[in-house]
Amino acid sequence: ECFQNTVLVWFPCVYLWLLAPFYALKLYCHDCGCIRISTLCTAKTVILYICCFIEGSQQDNSCVLAICIIQLERIRGCRSSVFLFLFWVLAVVCSLVPLRAKIQLAMYEGITTDIVRYTAFFSYFSLQLAQLFLCCFADQPPEGKTCIIDVPLRLVVKGYRTPLEAGDLWNLREEDTSDKIISDLEEEWTTECAKLQQQEKTMAAGVALGTRLPDQAQILRKLQKEQSSGFCLLRTLARNFGPYFLTGTMCIIFHDFFMFAIPQVLSLLLGFMNEEDAPLWKGYFYATLMFLLSCLQSLFNHQYMYTCFTVGMRVKTAVMGLVYRKSLVINSASRRTCTVGEIVNLVSADTQKLMDFVVYFNAVWLAPIEIALCLFFLWQHLGPSALAGIATVILIFPLNGFIAKKRSKLQVQMKFMDGRIKLMNEILNGIKILKFYAWEKAFLEQVLGYREKELKALKKSQILYSISIASFNSSTFLIAFAMFGVYVLIDDKNVLDAQKVFVSMALINILKTPLSQLPFAMSTTMQAIVSLKRLGKYLCSEELKDDNVAKAPLSTGKNTYWCHVYNGTFSWTKEGPPCLKRINVCVPQGSLVAVVGHVGSGKSSLLSAMLGETEKRSGSVSIKGSVAYVPQQAWIQNATVQDNVMFGREKQKTWYQRVLDACALLPDLEILPAGDSTEIGEKGLNLSGGQKQRVSLARAVYRKADVYLLDDPLSAVDAHVGQHIFDKVIGPKGVLRDKTRVLVTHGMSFLPQADLILVLVDGEITESGSYQELLSRQGAFADFIRMFASNDRKESVTETAIDEEQVPEDLGKLMEVDKAHTGRVSLEELIFDCTSYATDCLFVLPQVRLEMYMEYFKTIGMAFIIPIVFLYAFQQGASLAYNYWLSLWADEPIVNGTQVDTDMKLAVYGALGFAQGIAIFGTTVAISVGGIIASRHLHMDLLKNVLHSPMSFFETTPSGNLLNRFAKEIDAIDCMIPDGLKMMLGYLFKLMEVCIIVMLATPFAAVVILPLAILYAFVQSFYVATSCQLRRLESVSRSPIYTHFNETVQGASVIRAFGEQHRFIVQANKRVDFNQTSYFPRFVATRWLAVNLEFVGNGVVLAAAILSVMGKDTLSPGIVGLAVSHSLQVTGILSWIVRSWTDVENNIVSVERVKEYADTAKEAVWTVEGSSLPLAWPQTGTIEFQDYGLQYRKGLDWALKGITLKIQEREKVGIVGRTGAGKSSLALGIFRILEAAKGEIYIDGVNIAEIGLHDLRSRITIIPQDPVLFSGSLRMNLDPFDTYTDEEIWSSLELAHLKNFVSNLPDKLNYECSEGGENLSLGQRQLVCLARALLRKTKILVLDEATAAVDLETDTLIQSTIRQQFEDCTVLTIAHRLNTIMDYTRVIVMDKGHISEMDSPTNLISNRGQFYRMCREAGLV
């Protein structure tokens, strides 16, 4: 009576009054707007008023306080109250005991004895239940605000019923947006960076002038700099996100308090079971208290996880923002130290590691405290024997530490993976070259070489991981075995009763969590430190100096210089040799300055110096007004043509049309499927080289800038178009005539119209002056002009104003259908349509999922799967047996203060436990090996499928999609799926064991367990469907971030020149925020699920405890201890099952994605088995077309029709024609890049359709239009199969005029070419392609005229080399410049897919047909 009227009444009231001030403070700090008085709020208030009149004073005061809190919550915009929910839960639970007592008393004495008090109590209890029920619902959102975090249940249900779309997701809260986060952070980071640079300067000043630090000291300083920059970044992040993170830390401390309280209550419950005359209410109280503590533990744990994930999300946003902003200001020297891939890696991999660090950081300091507390409580129960447990822990720890160390050494697997991905990226970028040269096999071997090393490291790592898992999963048994063994062996009087055994087991189970978390937390922390260093190093790398270029005020006047370089010496790096020396340039307002010189003379560097992109060693640069820049290699955004031209400016219709006309873009827009609204693929994929260059030029012209820096914009276009652009845009009568223009050019015909010509030789201006002045000086320029003027005059082009690229029009353009197929979309489209892909995957769920699992298991093989299932069953059987054995031991009667046969009991217990440990090791190794077998096969299939695909496949599939398959999807198959399966199966069998134990103890529990299992399955199915969709939405929205990043890094110089940094930053923020909008609901849904599941699990605890109390007379303490201690594990097990199941569900999709390319169209076989093709074929080089026809795809117009033609040996044939006439199609047909739709081609009498593709392509040669090099040695780029000797290679380099250049390189033939051959100039790359052709020296050479990007001198070298070296070969030249084919034996004029004229050039001219008209235009006749 006393207990009921004091403790049980006061407990909820104390909770309310103690925590109310803190809660009020929280509400005061977080104002979300006012909520209107709703029906829900009114109902709650009315019920509380009624409560005030019914119960005693202490409850009256609490009800008044509760009313005040409800109103305060309404005013501050709090829609649901966890604080009051917990108060009513406590109130109801504490009222259960007096309720039972009152019911028993009423049944015994009758209700009439004190009817008023009974009525009051039952009414009050009903009102408490009503309040608890009402607290489960959320109020309406505050006025004028949309609901940001709606009840996750609504989202989960919607995701289960229909495909989720971006519009269904909640908006980001303001404090989670990029703008808010980065604006707060950027200022602090700039200050930190400035401090760091100051420290560095001080250190540098400390080193005596003129002395050079020894290498070791330099390395040490470099490491110190990386470390300090990493810690600076950590400090900045901690200042910004630390306070909110600390609220989560408070939650985890409360969680630990409740976690350690549970075993103490279990001890009391088992004590109660031993007492024969203990009152029953005590048992019910302990059972309910255990349930309540479990619920509170769950709530605080998930509030902590929610806080951590929120902080992690903000850290990711912050770091992405900082890296993006840095990539816009980083200087060229720093930029060269990291590839685009590495920068993208910083925002993908390293930010993920920081997010993991936020979640696991608290475990670093909290886990040792938890371990110490566990051991303290164990000491209380078992005395000094607990030290045996400590000894076991000390043994397990170093073992896991040693394994972790070994595994981190095996992280070279990552190095091999990086190498493989880098190589794959280059293969995909240069796939056309690979196909032309038949080099697929060489690169396939290279990729597989990396893959084998990667899998070897992975296998070792997985075996070590299996030992680690086995030791961890057996740790409960090992610690218990050591402690119980020592306890019973040191003294016969020490007996193991149920209380000692099962409370110890509960504590050991608690001990497992910190034991498992600590090594993981430490490794996550170490990885985060490495990531912080990498990020810090990048974020502290040198930026472009603002004073590189002085921005002078605008002024007009006759002798005003708008672009002025005085005595400038420039280099690309601080330490490197200067690329420009003693530069003096004065560009008057409105003048046209031409810059000429050989390849590599420093023309592009001069423009970069004017933009401030280079390191200024001495001198000064000043520019007046705004700048527009056209780079040598056009940079095109993945946006519409219109967006590319306007580049963020308002549309002025007449000016826009005028610009398009001047840049000769109007005819192109007529061809494009959606005109200027056509979406351009990544890197301008669906535009030809010349179209890209003209779009790039149009962007600059549209800008209406004051100064124009034009880096050879006319090289990629035909001479005719070039002349048009010069006349209409750049020249004295062009739209830019009043602007200041600096033009780098190789075109001699434009020079007479320039006001000033600068001649660059080896980075110095050797001559400058007007055209006539330079000619009259009779210097190097005059010789240069005389030599090339004749060539230049003869340059010609086809009639139209659209240039031709190697990829013909039909193939190069993406039709609307293709555009939809490739998934190239703008952000706006993405925001509304990004779910279409997700829905395709999702609503074929059951059958597709099943097929994927079947596919995966089939790849592993049944021989592996059956033993795995048996091993799991055996492992759990052993676990069940040793636990049951313990309960029998605990129930053993005590005779003369001792238990009999303790040695035998201990031996049986040990044998069963060790058997389980061995089975665990066996299962994990088997799954790992099975996973490696599957991933090896799947990767091999994917690689072969992709390399065997035709060119059309690569033109309609973005390289990012393919690269994603080789990186992310293969990584998921390598690691995620096997790890998820290990976890899922382990916990699934463990759950079965717990259910069997609880039902063994109390068979009646089946009545509770069965509905709970149905509820669990129901909740789980809802969640998995939604989770998969949310994960897909997130991954779909992640790609645009990296695409935009990639694009920005590559076009940083253009963005800076135009001053568009702010606009690009805003775009990046939008993309990051959109991605976080999908990420946030996913982790909120995960927390929702976990809380719900843990309440289900806590229901099992309550059922086991209450049924045990009810069966007190029939159940032994041992079996009760076994059932209750096992039921306490259910919450954790359920959460892990869902987590691992969801992981497997999400990752198994990777199998489907990797397999999807198995069904796409493939090329013909590479080599035909048993082919009788002679080794020396083709010996003569005759080519014959017989009624040959070609289509790009079925249903499209014929690209070639009825071509019948015979080319004799050693004949030189030129192919000319307008755009889309079918010139390139002939070359594609000869190489079988496209297969014949009708007719045949015979080479030396052999039908090429009947031989293998490699047999054909390796025996004929092409020099393509785009010179592609791969990263690797120069030798590998010339001869990937190692078929030629060094002498042969040097000979070919000499003929290609590269011998001097290569012999001056530090590593000669082993010189490492960077990604895409970036460290060689365009002209040098073209000469390397020529050297490849010279090395192969086949009887047939196809030239897709590839000299547009080189200066005239190099052009002449290439042409003369081809004439001499391929004299005895058949040469086919697809000509853009007519002067190169005027001495050929025959010219073929193509028109609309058929041959309109064919004869020798002289005959065709005398016939006065189409060829004559083309020559007349070019000034050749």
Side-chain angles (χ1 to χ4, degrees):
E1 189 82 17
C2 175
F3 175 76
Q4 287 175 30
N5 291 333
T6 53
V7 177
L8 293 183
V9 170
W10 280 102
F11 186 58
C13 301
V14 169
Y15 158 82
L16 188 71
W17 284 93
L18 269 180
L19 295 183
F22 299 104
Y23 185 60
L25 185 66
K26 178 187 176 282
L27 289 173
Y28 178 75
C29 296
H30 293 84
D31 184 12
C32 299
C34 184
I35 299 173
R36 277 187 186 172
I37 296 176
S38 62
T39 316
L40 184 68
C41 180
T42 312
K44 286 181 185 176
T45 313
V46 168
I47 289 172
L48 279 169
Y49 272 124
I50 297 167
C51 287
C52 291
F53 294 113
I54 293 176
E55 271 301 320
S57 61
Q58 64 271 39
Q59 273 114 329
D60 283 358
N61 297 337
S62 299
C63 290
V64 171
L65 180 59
I67 291 170
C68 296
I69 289 170
I70 286 172
Q71 293 310 314
L72 183 61
E73 284 175 342
R74 184 183 67 76
I75 292 162
R76 306 304 284 181
C78 178
R79 300 177 59 217
S80 65
S81 175
V82 175
F83 177 66
L84 286 179
F85 173 75
L86 289 176
F87 168 68
W88 292 115
V89 167
L90 286 173
V92 168
V93 168
C94 289
S95 298
L96 288 173
V97 177
L99 176 74
R100 183 176 176 276
K102 288 265 192 303
I103 291 168
Q104 281 185 337
L105 199 66
M107 286 166 71
Y108 182 70
E109 291 180 352
I111 201 163
T112 48
T113 52
D114 198 351
I115 192 161
V116 176
R117 181 159 292 182
Y118 280 127
T119 310
F121 179 80
F122 289 131
S123 304
Y124 185 69
F125 184 73
S126 308
L127 293 171
Q128 279 182 328
L129 278 176
Q131 274 290 10
L132 180 60
F133 177 72
L134 291 177
C135 273
C136 296
F137 298 95
D139 213 332
Q140 61 196 29
E143 283 183 65
K145 288 204 177 186
T146 53
C147 161
I148 289 180
I149 298 188
D150 209 335
V151 186
L153 179 65
R154 208 169 292 169
L155 182 74
V156 172
V157 171
K158 181 155 191 182
Y160 182 74
R161 286 180 181 158
T162 58
L164 281 180
E165 292 174 16
D168 300 324
L169 306 176
W170 313 309
N171 298 325
L172 271 187
R173 296 171 300 185
E174 194 199 344
E175 60 267 33
D176 293 332
T177 57
S178 299
D179 277 347
K180 178 85 179 88
I181 290 168
I182 298 164
S183 58
D184 295 349
L185 192 79
E186 204 173 7
E187 215 171 296
E188 275 192 49
W189 175 243
T190 314
T191 317
E192 285 287 350
C193 260
K195 279 185 201 167
L196 207 65
Q197 281 160 358
Q198 193 56 48
Q199 280 174 14
E200 214 178 304
K201 280 178 189 166
T202 316
M203 277 172 72
V207 179
L209 281 169
T211 58
R212 192 173 177 279
L213 279 171
D215 288 348
Q216 284 177 318
Q218 278 186 327
I219 292 168
L220 204 67
R221 273 190 52 185
K222 196 177 170 190
L223 286 171
Q224 273 179 331
K225 184 188 169 188
E226 276 181 33
Q227 208 154 359
S228 52
S229 61
F231 281 123
C232 275
L233 180 60
L234 181 62
R235 201 162 53 228
T236 311
L237 292 171
R239 270 200 215 114
N240 275 270
F241 308 117
Y244 184 61
F245 180 69
L246 286 174
T247 61
T249 307
M250 289 302 295
C251 288
I252 199 72
I253 291 168
F254 277 119
H255 159 268
D256 278 13
F257 170 74
F258 294 126
M259 180 172 74
F260 281 107
I262 291 170
Q264 308 308 317
V265 178
L266 175 64
S267 177
L268 294 170
L269 180 68
L270 293 174
F272 159 79
M273 295 299 288
N274 270 328
E275 288 176 42
E276 285 181 14
D277 53 350
L280 264 182
W281 70 264
K282 261 191 183 180
Y284 290 126
F285 174 69
Y286 294 145
T288 313
L289 186 59
M290 204 182 292
F291 169 69
L292 195 66
L293 289 171
S294 299
C295 291
L296 288 169
Q297 182 192 342
S298 297
L299 284 172
F300 277 102
N301 182 34
H302 293 298
Q303 183 58 39
Y304 165 69
M305 293 304 281
Y306 170 78
T307 308
C308 283
F309 276 111
T310 306
V311 172
M313 181 177 86
R314 289 175 187 173
V315 166
K316 184 180 178 179
T317 301
V319 171
M320 277 181 163
L322 288 177
V323 172
Y324 186 79
R325 282 154 180 73
K326 185 72 180 185
S327 64
L328 287 169
V329 292
I330 193 168
N331 70 8
S332 61
S334 305
R335 170 68 185 82
R336 284 176 182 203
T337 58
C338 43
T339 63
V340 179
E342 283 168 342
I343 296 171
V344 172
N345 217 10
L346 288 175
V347 293
S348 54
D350 290 310
T351 50
Q352 188 56 49
K353 291 198 173 98
L354 289 186
M355 287 174 81
D356 293 344
F357 168 69
V358 169
V359 175
Y360 291 101
F361 167 68
N362 274 326
V364 173
W365 63 272
L366 204 56
I369 296 172
E370 289 172 353
I371 292 167
L373 278 170
C374 277
L375 295 172
F376 166 73
F377 287 124
L378 284 167
W379 182 286
Q380 280 192 328
H381 282 277
L382 299 173
S385 308
L387 293 172
I390 298 172
T392 315
V393 171
I394 290 168
L395 280 173
I396 292 171
F397 247 105
L399 173 70
N400 280 327
F402 171 74
I403 289 169
K405 201 172 178 183
K406 274 280 190 198
R407 285 189 77 207
S408 69
K409 280 183 185 169
L410 288 169
Q411 281 298 308
V412 289
Q413 161 210 345
M414 292 303 289
K415 189 176 78 180
F416 296 133
M417 183 182 169
D418 287 348
R420 175 172 65 81
I421 300 306
K422 188 179 172 194
L423 183 59
M424 273 316 302
N425 187 26
E426 295 196 42
I427 287 173
L428 296 172
N429 286 338
I431 189 73
K432 185 179 262 179
I433 300 298
L434 252 59
K435 293 207 172 293
F436 274 136
Y437 288 134
W439 279 359
E440 294 104 325
K441 270 187 186 164
F443 281 82
L444 177 86
E445 294 303 324
Q446 279 190 48
V447 173
L448 291 179
Y450 275 120
R451 181 70 179 151
E452 276 311 307
K453 289 176 188 164
E454 187 188 342
L455 288 180
K456 200 173 170 187
L458 182 68
K459 194 173 185 176
K460 284 182 187 168
S461 174
Q462 288 290 2
I463 288 172
L464 287 169
Y465 184 47
S466 298
I467 298 172
S468 192
I469 285 181
S471 67
F472 167 66
N473 283 352
S474 307
S475 58
T476 312
F477 156 74
L478 290 169
I479 297 166
F481 180 63
M483 286 198 294
F484 296 158
V486 171
Y487 184 69
V488 296
L489 292 175
I490 54 172
D491 188 351
D492 285 350
K493 299 288 179 197
N494 284 349
V495 291
L496 281 178
D497 59 11
Q499 217 167 345
K500 284 193 181 76
V501 169
F502 293 107
V503 172
S504 302
M505 290 302 275
L507 285 164
I508 292 167
N509 280 324
I510 289 175
L511 184 61
K512 276 180 76 173
T513 307
L515 276 179
S516 68
Q517 277 185 349
L518 192 58
F520 187 70
M522 288 171 85
S523 105
T524 306
T525 306
M526 296 315 290
Q527 285 178 347
I529 288 169
V530 172
S531 291
L532 280 166
K533 281 184 195 169
R534 277 162 51 110
L535 285 162
K537 180 188 168 187
Y538 180 74
L539 292 173
C540 286
S541 52
E542 292 191 11
E543 298 180 3
L544 291 166
K545 296 190 183 81
D546 293 335
D547 62 353
N548 276 352
V549 177
K551 288 281 181 190
L554 283 177
S555 59
T556 51
K558 208 170 185 183
N559 297 320
T560 315
Y561 295 126
W562 282 51
C563 185
H564 185 208
V565 183
Y566 174 69
N567 201 18
T569 300
F570 305 93
S571 65
W572 284 107
T573 60
K574 260 186 181 174
E575 295 78 26
C579 57
L580 294 168
K581 303 181 281 285
R582 296 181 286 283
I583 301 291
N584 286 290
V585 178
C586 298
V587 183
Q589 180 197 348
S591 62
L592 169 60
V593 175
V595 182
V596 295
H598 299 309
V599 168
S601 60
K603 302 185 296 295
S604 298
S605 302
L606 178 63
L607 294 194
S608 294
M610 289 176 173
L611 287 168
E613 297 284 322
T614 52
E615 201 63 51
K616 185 173 73 180
R617 294 282 184 86
S618 63
S620 65
V621 182
S622 72
I623 283 190
K624 290 183 180 176
S626 58
V627 177
Y629 169 56
V630 180
Q632 187 175 12
Q633 281 193 309
W635 173 74
I636 302 292
Q637 279 187 279
N638 184 0
T640 63
V641 177
Q642 181 173 308
D643 291 342
N644 268 286
V645 172
M646 296 198 309
F647 206 53
R649 289 295 163 105
E650 290 292 312
K651 186 170 181 180
Q652 298 169 354
K653 210 166 182 185
T654 49
W655 175 241
Y656 177 69
Q657 287 302 323
R658 198 176 156 200
V659 169
L660 293 184
D661 178 43
C663 295
L665 277 168
L666 290 174
D668 298 83
L669 295 182
E670 286 168 19
I671 298 168
L672 292 172
D676 65 355
S677 302
T678 304
E679 192 86 25
I680 303 176
E682 49 186 329
K683 296 179 189 168
L685 190 118
N686 47 337
L687 295 183
S688 72
Q691 285 167 333
K692 282 191 272 193
Q693 194 60 278
R694 293 202 303 281
V695 169
S696 178
L697 180 65
R699 174 198 295 146
V701 176
Y702 189 79
R703 179 58 51 143
K704 291 186 179 172
D706 301 309
V707 178
Y708 281 83
L709 303 178
L710 312 168
D711 194 351
D712 207 5
L714 307 175
S715 66
V717 299
D718 296 333
H720 179 91
V721 182
Q723 193 64 53
H724 169 95
I725 289 173
F726 187 81
D727 294 342
K728 291 285 189 82
V729 179
I730 303 164
K733 293 177 183 171
V735 288
L736 302 181
R737 57 184 173 274
D738 302 328
K739 307 290 184 183
T740 307
R741 293 141 291 157
V742 179
L743 171 71
V744 169
T745 184
H746 292 134
M748 297 297 129
S749 57
F750 310 131
L751 297 181
Q753 299 177 66
D755 302 314
L756 175 69
I757 297 168
L758 305 176
V759 183
L760 271 171
V761 178
D762 293 334
E764 290 191 57
I765 296 176
T766 55
E767 294 180 88
S768 69
S770 70
Y771 186 74
Q772 292 305 325
E773 281 171 27
L774 291 179
L775 273 183
S776 60
R777 281 182 205 162
Q778 299 294 320
F781 180 76
D783 300 340
F784 181 68
I785 290 293
R786 278 193 205 96
M787 188 171 168
F788 294 111
S790 56
N791 282 2
D792 196 54
R793 192 176 55 77
K794 289 177 194 167
E795 282 185 16
S796 171
V797 70
T798 53
E799 219 167 85
T800 67
I802 308 153
D803 67 319
E804 167 88 49
E805 203 220 6
Q806 190 173 329
V807 180
E809 216 64 64
D810 296 335
L811 191 65
K813 302 293 164 270
L814 284 175
M815 300 301 159
E816 285 298 319
V817 183
D818 294 336
K819 193 178 130 187
H821 170 67
T822 58
R824 291 200 186 87
V825 284
S826 65
L827 180 71
E828 284 70 23
E829 284 175 48
L830 182 88
I831 289 173
F832 297 109
D833 298 339
C834 75
T835 44
S836 59
Y837 176 62
T839 55
D840 292 344
C841 296
L842 257 160
F843 275 78
V844 282
L845 275 178
Q847 61 276 31
V848 168
R849 278 267 150 65
L850 200 59
E851 276 172 33
M852 284 185 262
Y853 283 113
M854 294 308 292
E855 187 67 55
Y856 184 71
F857 293 132
K858 201 164 74 186
T859 318
I860 296 174
M862 288 310 285
F864 246 90
I865 290 163
I866 294 164
I868 288 172
V869 175
F870 275 118
L871 276 168
Y872 266 115
F874 174 74
Q875 163 194 325
Q876 235 47 58
S879 172
L880 177 65
Y882 79 67
N883 278 308
Y884 190 63
W885 183 257
L886 256 186
S887 77
L888 293 176
W889 186 353
D891 286 338
E892 186 76 23
I894 299 161
V895 183
N896 299 329
T898 62
Q899 286 172 319
V900 293
D901 295 335
T902 47
D903 296 354
M904 184 270 290
K905 292 189 178 87
L906 191 63
V908 171
Y909 179 59
L912 289 167
F914 282 110
Q916 187 210 13
I918 293 161
I920 292 172
F921 176 70
T923 48
T924 48
V925 168
I927 287 182
S928 300
V929 173
I932 287 171
I933 290 171
S935 68
R936 178 184 276 118
H937 283 306
L938 290 167
H939 176 267
M940 177 79 89
D941 291 349
L942 173 67
L943 183 60
K944 285 185 174 170
N945 284 328
V946 167
L947 288 182
H948 277 86
S949 295
M951 268 314 295
S952 54
F953 167 79
F954 296 98
E955 276 150 3
T956 53
T957 311
S959 60
N961 284 15
L962 288 170
L963 211 54
N964 198 28
R965 300 290 185 271
F966 282 99
K968 197 164 173 292
E969 312 298 356
I970 289 291
D971 186 46
I973 294 168
D974 280 352
C975 307
M976 307 286 198
I977 295 177
D979 287 355
L981 282 172
K982 280 177 210 170
M983 219 191 265
M984 186 174 84
L985 290 169
Y987 283 111
L988 210 56
F989 278 94
K990 182 73 185 164
L991 183 66
M992 282 162 64
E993 181 196 338
V994 171
C995 290
I996 291 167
I997 286 173
V998 172
M999 288 194 287
L1000 267 178
T1002 52
F1004 193 66
V1007 177
V1008 179
I1009 287 176
L1010 209 65
L1012 283 179
I1014 292 164
L1015 176 65
Y1016 168 72
F1018 182 64
V1019 169
Q1020 149 88 359
S1021 61
F1022 263 80
Y1023 168 75
V1024 171
T1026 305
S1027 167
C1028 290
Q1029 291 186 71
L1030 286 171
R1031 187 170 283 210
R1032 278 206 185 80
L1033 278 177
E1034 193 220 341
S1035 67
V1036 166
S1037 65
R1038 200 185 309 126
S1039 302
I1041 297 175
Y1042 303 144
T1043 307
H1044 184 65
F1045 227 97
N1046 211 328
E1047 212 168 62
T1048 305
V1049 172
Q1050 285 172 339
S1053 56
V1054 178
I1055 296 166
R1056 283 194 290 268
F1058 283 89
E1060 286 290 328
Q1061 294 96 317
H1062 177 71
R1063 184 168 65 86
F1064 274 76
I1065 285 169
V1066 169
Q1067 280 184 13
N1069 285 356
K1070 269 188 193 167
R1071 283 168 156 82
V1072 171
D1073 286 351
F1074 179 52
N1075 176 241
Q1076 300 292 38
T1077 306
S1078 320
Y1079 172 74
F1080 184 66
R1082 186 158 73 85
F1083 78 73
V1084 169
T1086 308
R1087 301 276 65 83
W1088 169 85
L1089 169 88
V1091 169
N1092 281 298
L1093 288 192
E1094 293 200 9
F1095 274 93
V1096 169
N1098 295 335
V1100 175
V1101 175
L1102 185 65
I1106 286 198
L1107 290 171
S1108 301
V1109 173
M1110 285 167 76
K1112 181 175 186 274
D1113 302 332
T1114 54
L1115 293 174
S1116 67
I1119 201 81
V1120 169
L1122 181 67
V1124 176
S1125 66
H1126 267 69
S1127 67
L1128 285 171
Q1129 297 174 45
V1130 170
T1131 52
I1133 292 171
L1134 292 180
S1135 294
W1136 279 107
I1137 288 176
V1138 172
R1139 195 166 156 184
S1140 51
W1141 188 351
T1142 309
D1143 280 349
V1144 174
E1145 285 274 277
N1146 284 323
N1147 288 312
I1148 202 76
V1149 180
S1150 298
V1151 176
E1152 184 202 18
R1153 286 187 181 165
V1154 164
K1155 294 292 287 183
E1156 74 182 313
Y1157 295 127
D1159 304 325
T1160 53
K1162 299 288 174 284
E1163 290 184 306
V1165 290
W1166 286 345
T1167 48
V1168 176
E1169 289 297 320
S1171 168
S1172 57
L1173 199 65
L1175 273 174
W1177 179 88
Q1179 286 164 323
T1180 57
T1182 58
I1183 307 172
E1184 188 179 354
F1185 290 81
Q1186 290 184 1
D1187 192 28
Y1188 183 76
L1190 194 67
Q1191 280 176 300
Y1192 285 111
R1193 274 190 303 281
K1194 274 187 181 169
L1196 287 181
D1197 291 341
W1198 290 82
L1200 292 174
K1201 44 192 175 226
I1203 301 287
T1204 302
L1205 156 73
K1206 185 159 187 183
I1207 297 168
Q1208 303 299 337
E1209 59 181 290
R1210 299 179 64 177
E1211 201 175 351
K1212 309 291 179 278
V1213 179
I1215 304 166
V1216 297
R1218 301 178 177 200
T1219 297
K1223 306 191 296 288
S1224 297
S1225 307
L1226 275 178
L1228 297 177
I1230 292 170
F1231 279 86
R1232 281 177 65 195
I1233 296 292
L1234 290 168
E1235 295 289 356
K1238 65 170 186 173
E1240 292 91 27
I1241 299 176
Y1242 290 89
I1243 294 179
D1244 277 12
V1246 175
N1247 184 351
I1248 63 167
E1250 291 170 6
I1251 60 173
L1253 288 179
H1254 281 188
D1255 296 334
L1256 167 69
R1257 291 171 185 169
S1258 61
R1259 314 285 182 90
I1260 55 180
T1261 306
I1262 188 166
I1263 301 180
Q1265 190 175 22
D1266 297 323
V1268 174
L1269 264 61
F1270 300 95
S1271 66
S1273 69
L1274 196 56
R1275 192 186 200 297
M1276 189 282 291
N1277 269 292
L1278 291 165
D1279 175 27
F1281 290 100
D1282 279 335
T1283 17
Y1284 302 98
T1285 62
D1286 280 9
E1287 289 72 36
E1288 289 173 303
I1289 290 174
W1290 278 111
S1291 155
S1292 72
L1293 287 171
E1294 187 172 9
L1295 294 168
H1297 310 280
L1298 275 172
K1299 188 175 182 180
N1300 289 346
F1301 168 71
V1302 176
S1303 49
N1304 289 332
L1305 291 173
D1307 298 322
K1308 310 232 174 347
L1309 285 177
N1310 292 324
Y1311 175 71
E1312 279 293 312
C1313 298
S1314 64
E1315 200 174 346
E1318 294 282 315
N1319 51 355
L1320 298 179
S1321 76
L1322 206 58
Q1324 286 162 341
R1325 297 208 286 275
Q1326 197 69 67
L1327 293 174
V1328 170
C1329 290
L1330 174 63
R1332 281 177 188 161
L1334 290 161
L1335 198 57
R1336 286 166 74 127
K1337 199 75 193 296
T1338 55
K1339 281 289 175 186
I1340 294 174
L1341 173 70
V1342 177
L1343 258 159
D1344 191 346
E1345 190 166 64
T1347 52
V1350 295
D1351 56 50
L1352 290 170
E1353 190 178 2
T1354 316
D1355 186 4
T1356 311
L1357 286 176
I1358 293 175
Q1359 296 297 345
S1360 65
T1361 305
I1362 288 167
R1363 281 176 177 77
Q1364 289 161 22
Q1365 298 304 316
F1366 293 95
E1367 196 182 351
D1368 58 342
C1369 305
T1370 306
V1371 178
L1372 273 80
T1373 300
I1374 295 164
H1376 300 184
R1377 295 171 172 176
L1378 296 188
N1379 62 307
T1380 54
I1381 57 161
M1382 293 310 278
D1383 58 346
Y1384 276 25
T1385 49
R1386 237 192 314 174
V1387 170
I1388 296 169
V1389 183
M1390 301 290 298
D1391 184 35
K1392 293 178 184 168
H1394 60 263
I1395 298 170
S1396 68
E1397 296 175 6
M1398 177 167 63
D1399 209 331
S1400 67
T1402 45
N1403 290 351
L1404 286 175
I1405 288 168
S1406 59
N1407 290 345
R1408 300 200 161 222
Q1410 199 174 337
F1411 184 69
Y1412 166 75
R1413 290 197 296 277
M1414 290 160 80
C1415 290
R1416 192 179 60 198
E1417 274 176 17
L1420 294 173
V1421 291

